[in-house]
Amino acid sequence: LAKRAMPNGGIILLDEPLHSLDPVRAGKALQALLQSEDLKGFQVIVLTKDDRLADLAADAGAVKVTL
């Protein structure tokens, strides 16, 4: 959907996208999301209060910013 709306890239903002998944599944889903060829050119921003999810994102190659 994001690629169709903005074919040349853009920003995807996800607010607590994986809060209902267990840590193993959340890690796999996040890794798949961040490595998706369909999201090339997009900046994906994941907002979370879950430190485990933030660490999983960093392990998957994301930049972790703590506020």
Side-chain angles (χ1 to χ4, degrees):
L1 180 63
K3 192 170 186 176
R4 194 172 285 264
M6 298 190 75
N8 296 322
I11 297 173
I12 298 175
L13 179 64
L14 304 171
D15 186 13
E16 298 288 350
L18 307 171
H19 73 277
S20 63
L21 298 178
D22 63 79
V24 173
R25 287 191 175 122
K28 288 180 180 180
L30 190 59
Q31 188 172 24
L33 174 72
L34 295 175
Q35 294 176 352
S36 172
E37 291 291 322
D38 292 332
L39 295 180
K40 290 272 188 214
F42 285 89
Q43 292 186 29
V44 178
I45 300 171
V46 179
L47 303 175
T48 185
K49 295 175 263 181
D50 185 345
D51 288 332
R52 291 177 303 154
L53 181 60
D55 291 338
L56 289 171
D59 291 344
V63 175
K64 179 180 173 181
V65 177
T66 304
L67 301 176

